[in-house]
Amino acid sequence: MKEEKEKKEISRREFLGKAGTGVAGSYFILSSLKQAEAVAKENPLQPPETYFGNIQVQLTVNGVKHKVRVHTNTTLVELLRDRLSLTGTKVVCNHGECGGCTVVIDKKAVYSCQMLALDADGKDVTTIEGLLKGEELHKVQQAFIDKDGLQCGFCTPGQIMSAYALLLNNPDPSEEEIKTAMAGNICRCSAYPKIKESVAEAARLLKA
Amino acid sequence: MSRKVIKSVTNLYDKKIERLAEVPDEKLPPLKNNKELKYIGRGISRIDGYDKVSGTAVFTFDKILKNMAHARILRCPHPHAKIRKIDITKAMNIKGVIDIITKDNTEKIDWYDGDTFIFDEHLRYQGDEIACVAAENEVIASMALKKIEVEYEILSHVTDKMTAVKEDAPKLYDWGNISPDANPAKYNRGDYEQGLKNADQIIEEEYNTQFVIHNPTEVHCSTVDWNGDHLTIWDSTQGIFAVRNSVAAALKIPQNKITVIKKYMGGGFGAKLEAGKYTVMAALLAKRIGRPVRITIDRKEMNLAVGNRPDSYQRLTVGVKNDGTLTALGMTMYGAMGAHRDGAGCQWPLRSLYKCPNVKVEEYHVAINTGRSRPFRAPGHVQGTFAFESIIDMAAEKIGMDPIEFRLKNYAEVEANWEIPWTTKLLKECYKQGAEAINWKSKRNKKAGEGKGPVKRGVGMASQIWWGTGGPPAYATVKLNRDGSVHVLSGTQDIGCGTYTILAQVAAEVLEIPVERITVSLGNTDEHPYGPSSGGSMTASSVTPAVYDGALQIKAKLMSGASALLGVREDNLVYSQGVIYSKDDKNKKKSIQEVVRETHEQILVATGARNARPQGVMLNSFGAQFAEVEVNLETGKVKVLKIVAAHDIGRTINRKLLENQFHGGIIQGIGYALLEERVIDHYTGKVLTTNLHNYKMPTIKDAPEIEVIIVSEGDDQISAIGAKGIGEPAIIPTAGAIANAVYNATGVRIRTLPITPDKILNQVYNIG
Ligand code: FES
Ligand code: FES
């Protein structure tokens, strides 16, 4: 991970030093919750901001800059869904096993449930919503409709983001390359044959 | 069109289900063949595609309400225990925790048909519910779960059905471990013993199938919101009315005080056919705290607590004459239903696939300390068909007959359980076209395993029968606006199968207007007329005829309106592409828009109903799948190269969506045959496969080439549309076809699923 955290108020490492714990297990920040209670009293109808943490990260999502306060253990997908209301990105396993939460960062497909929000600091993130131009679909999205690369549609944002990342790097993938790029995205409806066709169609549409 | 209430009878498993339902009182004109239709049968794109590819589709998982609290469930870590004491003090002290409910602070609410309660002190499996926490966010709720202190009395457990049926096994219920509904469930036809005596050959074999988990991508979840005494539930469900009625009964509130909504859901496959305890818990919490509550379960809970396909042990006996005639079929089977009562049998393929006068079945459904089984895409038929179609192949080999020839020799012309004919049965055609497409004659090894070298190829096949075919009650409202646009509304669900799209195609076909002018709205118990749960491959076959009826009624209203406006008798009018003409004078015409406007209507409305099921005939879908596999005898790995699926499923409504659904069923079938298994450590009683890394589901790399052949047109005895349903037929024969192909390739017969490399190697090298 590149260390480009100039803008962060407190670096991840520094914070972990203070908290004296690993990331995965312990995220309980008593001080912030006490603060939270104080805020809660002021406005009992709104969950206080501080329940979500007090470390600021700054990132660009779909071209828009955001400053958001998070906990050390907040994942990128939690930031996207819970804080920015970008619910197009799904959580399926939350363990890096299915690709349901795939977003694109630096032209790479990334499992957003496996990236800490802190590590997304300074990054430029593209989610499924970011492929749209206004109401107009991106060609990769259109290809998934034309070739019916979906059934229930829950894995679809992840599939499309993986396909998008593949085509950014390899505009003319072979069938094997498509399968390899898409192998990290589980579709329980098993629309795989048509997902494969959709990715090939997307490549064709993008070249046209 | 007028209506009458009739008794509609469905033969489903051993049940004769009689339902009173309101149906059209005359038979509606059936559709023509697909070639002559304009919208039905075409592979048009999903009309909900935009929402799903753009990320804007709001699934239940995505439903956010202002000021919403988040709930999580504490589950029992032990396979069998009693709660001595629950202490929630520490958890309640966590800031951000709003409320916690347990058996101590809630009323007893019956659940699972009175087997248990929403919170029971007797915990019967790892994953049984203990408490539910509402907190400001999910992270805090999850944290609070760890701070709830529970004192357990650990009870001895049993997680294997064959141990559970023994006298001295720990018991889950007063009635023991064998379900009173199946101890055993018996079926006898003809004289089985005599049938065995008449046989030249008797083949006896044992088969085992594993537990598999539905694992839809969207976890089970609900968002609930009270407004005074009215409860709104967004639920990830296959049955909005089922959820409404169960929650109303649990909370003792009238059904009209509950609205259940489901617009999009991330798969169910049978696991989401009933209301979940979690929804009731969320409703209880929401009422107590006066805020909306979102409850989700995580992937581990998905693999522990919300359903699985039951496993099976099947001892099968086949009596056969040397000329290929079946004389006797016998089955003794045990299936584990988990910790609560549910069906766990699989006798139907054996009872209904072939002609055989003498049949004897005994089934035991066994309770064990694991999560409860639930219907999973063709419940029973998937387990049963694998074993039965394996032994049928062995019987054919024993008498030296080709497997297809053997099946044709015993082809059933009459449904033997009720001794009635089928409306349509095109299984012969499936054999013929499927065999051609896979190249059966040239690809099949004359002698199993005769191929040279360590990498061997072979082909195999298996047949399928399923219920499906739909029935009343099912309703759909069709509304025509002044601008000629149309709404179709029905209280059924689209669970990914394309219901939105096919209903639009039916309305488009009748009204002869483009699909783009039609909007379909599903999944709201308040706004929509009753539609069936999405299970049993019944949605398309039940709801499309209702839309057809509704659209025909709209057309009739338009004809009558146009007649009044033009002063031309109705029988002198023709309807074409949304315009009504006088037969004699083509210039005398009214568009449908003009008719609505000029008759001073705002909206024309009609509610269509599903017709009754025909009586005295049996309704089933059929099919045969053919697998070509490659088996590496050095690694034991099986690779499925190609599947040909040839099916008789009545009318194809949308070719593109139909293919997709077939792919899905077949690939899930490949998972069942080769990869998937819920593994339990019987010593600790714990499930070892609680994530998607350990629980192996197929990926794109496991998907072979698939060819789908539909041999049928509409079956107009079923309905004017004539669809039988395809969701379940697609998965039923896959594992059997693969197992038979593996045998043909290698000469190794695997009798226990999944067919993993170790099992192949152990047999090849004669180990174990
Ligand atoms: S949800 Fe992130 S990989 Fe499964
Ligand atoms: S479309 Fe349902 S999981 Fe992929």
Side-chain angles (χ1 to χ4, degrees):
Chain A
M1 204 63 54
K2 270 190 270 161
E3 293 288 342
E4 299 175 344
K5 309 211 188 272
E6 329 90 46
K7 288 190 191 125
K8 205 184 306 171
E9 291 170 352
I10 173 170
S11 84
R12 178 181 161 210
R13 189 166 300 154
E14 222 180 303
F15 181 85
L16 291 180
K18 280 184 193 161
T21 127
V23 178
S26 175
Y27 34 71
F28 188 25
I29 302 150
L30 274 168
S31 59
S32 72
L33 289 174
K34 290 209 177 94
Q35 261 175 18
E37 195 188 33
V39 181
K41 276 189 188 123
E42 282 162 30
N43 181 1
L45 288 182
Q46 285 301 321
E49 172 85 351
T50 36
Y51 280 130
F52 291 111
N54 58 3
I55 312 157
Q56 183 172 287
V57 293
Q58 225 177 354
L59 75 174
T60 305
V61 180
N62 302 332
V64 181
K65 282 214 166 73
H66 294 276
K67 278 188 193 169
V68 190
R69 288 182 180 276
V70 298
H71 281 304
T72 47
N73 72 321
T74 303
T75 59
L76 175 57
V77 72
E78 286 165 356
L79 185 157
L80 294 170
R81 289 182 55 92
D82 303 343
R83 309 305 310 286
L84 305 182
S85 297
L86 291 168
T87 55
T89 305
K90 307 301 183 205
V91 179
V92 173
C93 69
N94 215 11
H95 276 86
E97 293 153 351
C98 76
C101 60
T102 305
V103 298
V104 172
I105 300 175
D106 295 334
K107 288 190 166 185
K108 284 204 188 81
V110 173
Y111 287 175
S112 62
C113 74
Q114 293 302 294
M115 183 181 226
L116 291 173
L118 293 180
D119 287 332
D121 188 64
K123 298 274 194 241
D124 193 339
V125 181
T126 307
T127 72
I128 186 77
E129 292 93 343
L131 295 191
L132 290 169
K133 215 188 279 156
E135 294 292 310
E136 194 189 318
L137 296 177
H138 189 277
K139 286 182 175 151
V140 181
Q141 293 170 311
Q142 188 59 48
F144 270 73
I145 295 184
D146 296 348
K147 295 293 171 190
D148 205 36
L150 57 108
Q151 289 179 36
C152 76
F154 202 75
C155 74
T156 310
Q159 305 279 0
I160 290 175
M161 294 316 287
S162 286
Y164 173 67
L166 165 69
L167 298 174
L168 281 179
N169 298 294
N170 178 0
D172 201 7
S174 68
E175 189 177 325
E176 263 331 287
E177 286 168 332
I178 292 177
K179 282 199 199 168
T180 302
M182 303 302 289
N185 288 76
I186 286 180
C187 174
R188 185 48 159 171
C189 298
S190 303
Y192 296 124
K194 293 203 181 281
I195 289 171
K196 201 174 68 192
E197 279 179 48
S198 301
V199 181
E201 172 73 2
R204 212 183 52 75
L205 288 179
L206 285 168
K207 272 187 292 177
Chain B
M1 262 155 251
S2 57
R3 294 266 182 278
K4 63 179 175 190
V5 173
I6 54 100
K7 193 184 278 174
S8 189
V9 183
T10 309
N11 297 326
L12 185 64
Y13 298 97
D14 267 323
K15 287 189 205 117
K16 198 167 186 171
I17 301 170
E18 295 190 346
R19 281 202 193 99
L20 287 179
E22 194 181 81
V23 301
D25 74 355
E26 61 198 71
K27 201 167 170 194
L28 305 178
L31 288 172
K32 303 192 188 83
N33 280 353
N34 273 4
K35 269 206 291 308
E36 296 163 64
L37 300 176
K38 200 153 171 228
Y39 300 102
I40 290 180
R42 301 277 161 267
I44 66 162
S45 294
R46 257 167 231 272
I47 61 175
D48 51 339
Y50 180 94
D51 290 5
K52 288 178 176 174
V53 302
S54 62
T56 54
V58 176
F59 291 79
T60 303
F61 190 74
D62 306 323
K63 188 73 199 170
I64 299 171
L65 297 177
K66 207 166 164 226
N67 196 32
M68 176 171 88
H70 297 259
R72 300 271 292 127
I73 295 170
L74 178 67
R75 293 177 184 273
C76 178
H78 308 293
H80 201 190
K82 276 216 160 95
I83 302 175
R84 280 213 187 104
K85 209 174 123 212
I86 310 177
D87 188 349
I88 58 170
T89 326
K90 284 197 184 134
M92 278 304 289
N93 280 341
I94 295 174
K95 305 299 181 292
V97 171
I98 309 162
D99 195 8
I100 300 176
I101 50 173
T102 70
K103 70 174 182 57
D104 295 338
N105 59 7
T106 54
E107 268 179 45
K108 276 196 167 163
I109 299 173
D110 276 346
W111 206 250
Y112 298 144
D113 299 323
D115 267 358
T116 182
F117 309 101
I118 291 282
F119 292 114
D120 196 337
E121 60 180 4
H122 186 175
L123 305 167
R124 295 179 174 90
Y125 66 98
Q126 178 198 12
D128 218 342
E129 292 87 346
I130 296 172
C132 189
V133 176
E136 294 295 345
N137 65 38
E138 230 175 276
V139 174
I140 299 172
S142 304
M143 197 157 53
L145 298 181
K146 298 192 182 120
K147 297 286 175 191
I148 297 175
E149 294 170 327
V150 187
E151 225 180 278
Y152 300 97
E153 177 190 339
I154 306 289
L155 305 173
S156 45
H157 66 267
V158 57
T159 49
D160 164 57
K161 62 187 177 306
M162 301 318 273
T163 314
V165 296
K166 292 190 180 141
E167 282 282 288
D168 56 349
K171 299 285 180 286
L172 275 79
Y173 290 97
D174 313 339
W175 41 262
N177 292 338
I178 304 181
S179 167
D181 308 333
N183 187 11
K186 286 188 187 165
Y187 173 74
N188 281 297
R189 177 159 91 218
D191 185 340
Y192 174 70
E193 301 304 331
Q194 189 56 46
L196 286 181
K197 280 188 200 131
N198 295 346
D200 294 321
Q201 310 281 351
I202 294 176
I203 301 108
E204 233 177 327
E205 289 286 330
E206 291 178 7
Y207 298 90
N208 285 284
T209 63
Q210 75 280 37
F211 292 99
V212 289
I213 307 284
H214 306 72
N215 266 320
T217 44
E218 184 186 30
V219 295
H220 292 228
C221 55
S222 310
T223 295
V224 305
D225 187 20
W226 287 94
N227 192 346
D229 63 355
H230 193 102
L231 175 64
T232 305
I233 301 171
W234 289 264
D235 194 22
S236 180
T237 179
Q238 295 173 247
I240 51 171
F241 284 97
V243 170
R244 186 192 70 167
N245 298 354
S246 303
V247 175
L251 301 179
K252 298 191 180 72
I253 57 176
Q255 294 177 347
N256 67 341
K257 295 291 183 192
I258 300 185
T259 309
V260 180
I261 301 170
K262 188 234 67 117
K263 187 162 185 195
Y264 293 119
M265 80 184 294
F269 314 112
K272 295 175 179 169
L273 276 167
E274 63 180 5
K277 280 188 177 183
Y278 58 93
T279 308
V280 178
M281 292 177 194
L284 291 171
L285 281 167
K287 181 124 216 177
R288 285 161 64 111
I289 68 176
R291 288 169 60 172
V293 170
R294 171 182 188 258
I295 189 161
T296 59
I297 69 173
D298 67 15
R299 191 52 55 181
K300 181 172 180 187
E301 296 172 275
M302 292 294 289
N303 281 275
L304 289 177
V306 291
N308 54 77
R309 185 188 295 284
D311 68 348
S312 75
Y313 160 80
Q314 304 174 49
R315 195 170 66 236
L316 302 185
T317 310
V318 172
V320 64
K321 287 193 186 227
N322 284 336
D323 71 354
T325 313
L326 287 171
T327 61
L329 294 173
M331 171 190 228
T332 305
M333 80 80 62
Y334 292 78
M337 52 192 187
H340 297 284
R341 261 187 282 181
D342 198 46
C346 61
Q347 57 183 278
W348 274 91
L350 176 128
R351 281 175 57 175
S352 55
L353 252 179
Y354 303 115
K355 182 170 69 188
C356 180
N358 308 306
V359 179
K360 184 178 178 189
V361 175
E362 280 189 8
E363 278 190 352
Y364 299 84
H365 301 177
V366 186
I368 58 171
N369 294 110
T370 63
R372 170 169 174 258
S373 72
R374 295 272 59 221
F376 186 168
R377 204 167 190 167
H381 282 53
V382 172
Q383 305 93 291
T385 301
F386 155 70
F388 184 52
E389 286 290 78
S390 294
I391 200 168
I392 284 292
D393 254 37
M394 297 177 81
E397 188 180 38
K398 189 117 185 190
I399 56 157
M401 232 178 173
D402 174 82
I404 299 175
E405 214 180 299
F406 184 60
R407 285 166 171 86
L408 287 171
K409 172 89 189 166
N410 294 289
Y411 198 78
E413 299 289 354
V414 171
E415 213 295 334
N417 293 277
W418 289 279
E419 293 181 336
I420 47 178
W422 279 285
T423 54
T424 48
K425 175 177 177 178
L426 305 173
L427 185 54
K428 271 186 192 160
E429 201 49 39
C430 300
Y431 291 147
K432 187 166 162 270
Q433 295 192 27
E436 267 164 33
I438 199 86
N439 229 330
W440 183 256
K441 289 239 159 69
S442 69
K443 291 222 162 133
R444 186 161 173 89
N445 299 306
K446 296 290 159 299
K447 190 174 170 312
E450 71 185 358
K452 303 251 171 313
V455 180
K456 294 180 182 285
R457 286 193 175 190
V459 292
M461 55 85 60
S463 328
Q464 160 263 316
I465 184 168
W466 179 248
W467 315 103
T469 66
Y475 303 94
T477 297
V478 181
K479 303 202 282 187
L480 174 67
N481 297 310
R482 281 190 156 191
D483 64 355
S485 63
V486 168
H487 271 107
V488 175
L489 317 169
S490 179
T492 188
Q493 308 67 216
D494 185 333
I495 60 172
C497 312
T499 313
Y500 284 111
T501 311
I502 61 169
L503 298 188
Q505 286 175 271
V506 172
E509 190 69 49
V510 177
L511 296 171
E512 301 176 41
I513 59 170
V515 168
E516 293 72 45
R517 295 229 312 252
I518 299 168
T519 301
V520 181
S521 170
L522 306 174
N524 185 313
T525 55
D526 276 11
E527 293 172 6
H528 302 154
Y530 177 82
S533 290
S534 300
S537 303
M538 305 274 270
T539 313
S541 48
S542 297
V543 186
T544 55
V547 174
Y548 185 68
D549 178 32
L552 281 178
Q553 289 180 52
I554 292 286
K555 201 177 193 176
K557 285 176 200 270
L558 288 166
M559 293 297 271
S560 139
S563 162
L565 291 169
L566 296 169
V568 178
R569 281 171 39 161
E570 265 185 64
D571 52 10
N572 244 346
L573 291 173
V574 278
Y575 185 105
S576 172
Q577 317 247 6
V579 182
I580 298 154
Y581 301 89
S582 156
K583 275 185 194 159
D584 306 327
D585 178 358
K586 286 274 158 184
N587 291 326
K588 276 193 156 181
K589 59 177 181 186
K590 291 280 173 200
S591 69
I592 56 177
Q593 291 90 327
E594 286 166 335
V595 177
V596 184
R597 259 200 320 267
E598 292 169 23
T599 52
H600 305 289
E601 292 284 356
Q602 288 294 336
I603 303 170
L604 291 187
V605 184
T607 295
R610 169 56 154 91
N611 57 293
R613 289 170 67 88
Q615 299 303 296
V617 278
M618 191 60 202
L619 298 81
N620 285 113
S621 63
F622 299 92
Q625 287 182 10
F626 297 76
E628 183 183 5
V629 303
E630 184 178 276
V631 186
N632 184 330
L633 289 188
E634 280 170 354
T635 62
K637 220 172 142 54
V638 176
K639 187 169 180 196
V640 180
L641 300 172
K642 181 169 183 179
I643 300 274
V644 171
H647 292 258
D648 162 12
I649 46 81
R651 170 96 51 198
T652 298
I653 301 174
N654 183 316
R655 175 71 203 188
K656 181 151 71 171
L657 274 51
L658 169 135
E659 257 176 32
N660 203 338
Q661 216 182 334
F662 264 102
H663 294 163
I666 289 164
I667 294 165
Q668 284 183 354
I670 292 173
Y672 186 68
L674 302 179
L675 302 168
E676 297 178 35
E677 179 168 20
R678 182 189 73 185
V679 180
I680 296 175
D681 172 23
H682 295 303
Y683 180 70
T684 57
K686 296 208 182 187
V687 178
L688 303 177
T689 47
T690 56
N691 58 48
L692 299 186
H693 184 75
N694 292 332
Y695 186 84
K696 300 273 180 232
M697 302 199 290
T699 71
I700 199 165
K701 292 203 166 180
D702 301 298
E705 182 193 345
I706 298 174
E707 185 176 339
V708 179
I709 299 168
I710 300 305
V711 305
S712 48
E713 276 284 346
D715 177 339
D716 59 30
Q717 287 191 68
I718 291 177
S719 72
I721 303 288
K724 293 183 175 180
I726 58 168
E728 282 155 311
I731 192 178
I732 293 172
T734 315
I738 291 172
N740 288 338
V742 166
Y743 177 75
N744 184 246
T746 62
V748 169
R749 172 65 66 183
I750 305 296
R751 297 165 178 82
T752 299
L753 292 182
I755 305 172
T756 44
D758 54 321
K759 289 177 190 150
I760 299 218
L761 294 177
N762 284 346
Q763 279 208 34
V764 170
Y765 298 104
N766 244 327
I767 308 165

